[in-house]
């Protein structure tokens, strides 16, 4: 009979949770939820070896463990630091963490253009959320921004290197989903950039997933570019018969028209099941899909605004000027009686 694994207790912003040994601070924070969860621009749970690049998830460890209660001398990357029993962590309650996050955000925006009004990622961009919370009004750098011309790196994908933050998610997803990766990070330091090998195009059956994992607007869908703002579309769950993937996807609708197709994601914007290029780019006819119902977007962005449900304090007014407004509680008390 196997022995039960002892769980570690960790406290984040005064909230305690028990997790298995080997769990990262970031994953422990996600079990708590709310504002205690640090932002992550490069970490992506479904991708092995992701994380440790963007430094937006830095946290302060005020107590190392019960065995060694000394605080860690520097801020640590929560996606790469495992918990210890009795560890105490500060995220939103740490001034050092918030100040460091502002500095990281400033670095990420040094070369990033202010083109949100024309960017297809606007409204569901992680960098937009991060800059809104921690960004500065002006930049302190005096150097000229590095610029690149947008390029097509395949029949379906547009690369705008100006917006890239080198999180390497697209490289990892290509490594782990495709047999032969045809793009990567070239050069080093401030000359580093995402690019394809010479005379190569990204055409693998699952390469479209690099669009879903990109946290900014560096990789976008050429079949839906500039078709509609994301907040003007309504996401719905749908399935189709596909022999390459599960066929489970999210359709972004504008009326009866499918603007784009994406994989289904969880509340941290991480893909639940990868989808193939056929489902993503070619099946734009509603007849090919079985619509299951509205898709609730958990992320705090404009796409999570209430499209389908009535507000909790909503009162239905009967189409009669002499009638009174009645609440749902009043309706429940009266049963089926019609007023």
């Amino acid at each position: 009979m196997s022995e039960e694994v002892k769980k570690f207790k960790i406290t984040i912003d005064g909230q305690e949770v028990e997790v298995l040994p080997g769990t990262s601070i970031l994953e422990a924070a996600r079990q708590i939820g709310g504002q205690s969860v640090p932002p992550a621009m490069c970490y992506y749970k479904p991708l092995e070896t992701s994380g440790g690049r963007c430094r937006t998830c830095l946290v302060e460890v005020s107590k190392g463990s019960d065995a060694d209660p000394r605080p860690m001398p520097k801020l640590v990357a929560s996606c790469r630091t495992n918990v210890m029993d009795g560890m105490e962590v500060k995220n939103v309650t740490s001034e050092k963490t918030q100040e460091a996050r502002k500095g990281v955000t400033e670095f990420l925006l040094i070369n990033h253009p202010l083109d949100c009004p024309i960017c297809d990622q606007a409204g569901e961009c992680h960098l937009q959320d991060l800059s809104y919370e921690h960004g500065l009004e002006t930049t302190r750098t005096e150097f000229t921004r590095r610029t690149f011309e947008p390029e097509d790196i395949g029949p379906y994908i547009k690369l705008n290197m100006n917006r890239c933050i080198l999180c390497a998610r697209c490289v990892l997803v290509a490594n782990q989903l495709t047999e032969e990766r045809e793009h990567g990070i070239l050069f080093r330091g401030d000359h580093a950039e995402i690019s394809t090998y010479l005379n190569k195009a990204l055409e693998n059956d699952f390469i479209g997933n690099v669009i879903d994992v990109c946290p900014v607007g560096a990789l976008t869908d050429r079949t839906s570019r500039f078709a509609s703002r994301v907040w003007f579309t309504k996401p719905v769950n749908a399935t189709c018969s596909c022999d390459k993937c599960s066929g489970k996807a999210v359709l972004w609708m504008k009326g009866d028209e499918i603007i784009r197709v994406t994989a289904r994601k969880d509340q941290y914007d991480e893909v639940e099941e990868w989808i193939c290029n056929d489902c993503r780019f070619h099946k734009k006819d509603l007849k090919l899909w079985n619509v299951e119902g509205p898709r609730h977007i958990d992320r705090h962005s404009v796409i999570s605004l209430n499209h389908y449900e009535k507000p909790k304090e909503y009162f239905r007014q009967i189409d009669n000027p002499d009638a009174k407004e009645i609440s749902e509680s009043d309706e429940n008390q009266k049963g089926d009686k019609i007023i």
Side-chain angles (χ1 to χ4, degrees):
M1 197 172 174
S2 60
E3 296 182 1
E4 185 178 354
V5 179
K6 180 185 176 183
K7 291 186 176 182
F8 288 168
K9 290 183 179 181
I10 177 174
T11 304
I12 303 176
D13 291 337
Q15 302 173 87
E16 188 177 272
V17 66
E18 290 188 351
V19 297
L20 293 173
T23 304
S24 66
I25 295 176
L26 178 58
E27 285 298 327
R30 287 183 174 183
Q31 292 190 29
I32 294 175
Q35 293 185 341
S36 296
V37 182
M41 298 290 292
C42 65
Y43 175 77
Y44 210 77
K45 188 177 180 180
L47 299 176
E48 298 176 4
T49 70
S50 66
R53 290 180 174 86
C54 70
R55 320 309 283 184
T56 59
C57 67
L58 292 174
V59 293
E60 178 184 353
V61 179
S62 56
K63 178 183 176 182
S65 65
D66 286 337
D68 186 358
R70 293 177 298 175
M72 291 189 177
K74 296 181 179 180
L75 301 181
V76 299
S78 60
C79 67
R80 285 292 193 175
T81 306
N82 289 345
V83 303
M84 298 296 291
D85 196 18
M87 177 181 281
E88 294 181 4
V89 177
K90 293 181 179 180
N91 179 35
V92 293
T93 57
S94 169
E95 293 184 5
K96 292 181 181 179
T97 297
Q98 300 306 310
E99 191 64 28
R101 201 159 288 159
K102 289 180 181 179
V104 171
T105 304
E106 185 178 4
F107 272 114
L108 292 177
L109 293 172
I110 281 180
N111 288 305
H112 198 87
L114 300 177
D115 63 348
C116 297
I118 62 168
C119 179
D120 276 325
Q121 191 82 356
E124 52 182 354
C125 177
H126 293 247
L127 188 57
Q128 233 179 1
D129 298 336
L130 196 67
S131 59
Y132 179 79
E133 295 173 3
H134 303 287
L136 300 175
E137 292 183 0
T138 57
T139 179
R140 294 185 291 176
T141 181
E142 299 177 355
F143 300 101
T144 305
R145 296 174 187 262
R146 66 174 192 168
T147 57
F148 302 84
E149 288 296 323
E151 59 178 316
D152 298 332
I153 55 174
Y156 311 114
I157 302 173
K158 173 76 76 174
L159 170 64
N160 192 323
M161 189 58 210
N162 291 335
R163 302 168 184 160
C164 181
I165 60 170
L166 294 171
C167 67
R169 285 181 180 179
C170 63
V171 179
L172 293 176
V173 78
N175 266 341
Q176 296 168 32
L177 282 186
T178 65
E179 296 179 358
E180 295 182 3
R181 176 167 58 86
E182 297 173 331
H183 81 291
I185 300 177
L186 306 184
F187 311 118
R188 303 174 68 180
D190 62 346
H191 296 288
E193 63 177 277
I194 297 289
S195 186
T196 60
Y197 299 145
L198 291 176
N199 299 322
K200 292 289 185 179
L202 306 187
E203 296 179 324
N204 186 276
D205 286 340
F206 283 83
I207 200 62
N209 289 285
V210 300
I211 299 172
D212 281 341
V213 302
C214 183
V216 292
L219 295 169
T220 51
D221 184 348
R222 288 181 60 193
T223 66
S224 63
R225 278 174 62 81
F226 310 130
S228 175
R229 283 302 193 183
V230 67
W231 52 84
F232 293 138
T233 61
K234 293 186 177 181
V236 296
N237 287 334
T239 57
C240 69
S241 56
C242 181
D243 56 359
K244 294 180 181 179
C245 66
S246 64
K248 297 179 180 179
V250 177
L251 310 182
W252 297 81
M253 307 289 297
K254 191 173 184 180
D256 294 330
E257 181 185 0
I258 299 176
I259 300 297
R260 63 172 180 152
V261 181
T262 63
R264 299 185 184 184
K265 301 180 182 181
D266 61 16
Q267 61 178 321
Y268 299 110
D269 211 34
E270 295 177 349
V271 172
E272 298 172 353
E273 293 185 61
W274 310 106
I275 62 174
C276 65
N277 285 0
D278 287 342
C279 293
R280 183 185 301 274
F281 301 120
H282 299 303
K283 295 182 178 180
K284 295 295 183 73
D285 188 346
L286 193 58
K287 297 177 182 178
L288 300 174
W289 294 92
N290 177 29
V291 177
E292 298 176 348
R295 175 75 176 181
H296 177 69
I297 305 299
D298 292 316
R299 285 191 56 235
H300 60 102
S301 186
V302 293
I303 53 176
S304 63
L305 291 177
N306 198 326
H307 285 303
Y308 305 101
E309 299 174 357
K310 297 178 181 178
K312 292 182 179 179
E313 301 301 326
Y314 179 87
F315 290 89
R316 181 173 64 86
Q317 186 170 9
I318 299 175
D319 189 15
N320 184 340
D322 299 324
K324 296 181 180 179
E325 292 182 343
I326 55 174
S327 66
E328 290 184 6
S329 59
D330 293 331
E331 289 180 338
N332 293 334
Q333 291 176 2
K334 296 179 186 203
D336 296 332
K337 184 178 178 181
I338 300 176
I339 299 178

